[in-house]
Amino acid sequence: MRHLNSSYLTVLFALALIPRSWAGEHSTETPECKEITARIIERTNTHFDHFSPSGGSVFFKRPDMVLICDPKFVTYISLSWDASSFPSNQWFVLAAAAGSAVTGVDRKELEAAARRCHRVALKETDEQAGIVLPKTTVGCQAFAKNGGGVVVDIGIPVRKN
């Protein structure tokens, strides 16, 4: 695991946020995104809720998560925890299972990376951290103010066109 410096994280998070609104039009209809969606449902027992208006994101509920899927650019799962700055053990297990469905990376490896990312983000002044593994990236934001919260994104590294 490699910890990322703050300036690299700013770029990583900026790139990760772009696809939420700019993911390829109807990219969730591609065979790759349909397969990932099916794996997420199977491995996490979540339920399909809706597609984004652009068709670039899939929203799930019970448990809540979002798949941003554009096979030509970036694909990742995003989960948030709003109850405090310290998610439950089950939440980290869920994040790892969803991340594995997206990336194919071992769940235990992803869980360890998400936990490490969380710990580092809590110590950072910008509340962000990232971990780069050989086949995936784990980005997170964690904060304690205003009741606390955590966001973890696990995905396939950004593709260059």
Side-chain angles (χ1 to χ4, degrees), residues 10-52:
T10 302
V11 172
L12 178 72
F13 279 102
L15 287 173
L17 292 175
I18 289 170
R20 288 182 194 254
S21 58
W22 293 1
E25 190 103 358
H26 302 286
S27 59
T28 56
E29 296 173 11
T30 64
E32 181 180 348
C33 291
K34 287 180 179 182
E35 289 174 21
I36 291 170
T37 298
R39 284 194 305 265
I40 290 169
I41 291 168
E42 177 186 342
R43 295 181 189 179
T44 66
N45 293 317
T46 190
H47 303 277
F48 171 81
D49 188 30
H50 66 278
F51 293 108
S52 64

Side-chain angles (χ1 to χ4, degrees), residues 94-114:
L94 172 67
S100 180
V102 172
T103 66
V105 174
D106 178 72
R107 288 184 294 184
K108 291 190 185 292
E109 188 176 358
L110 290 175
E111 183 180 347

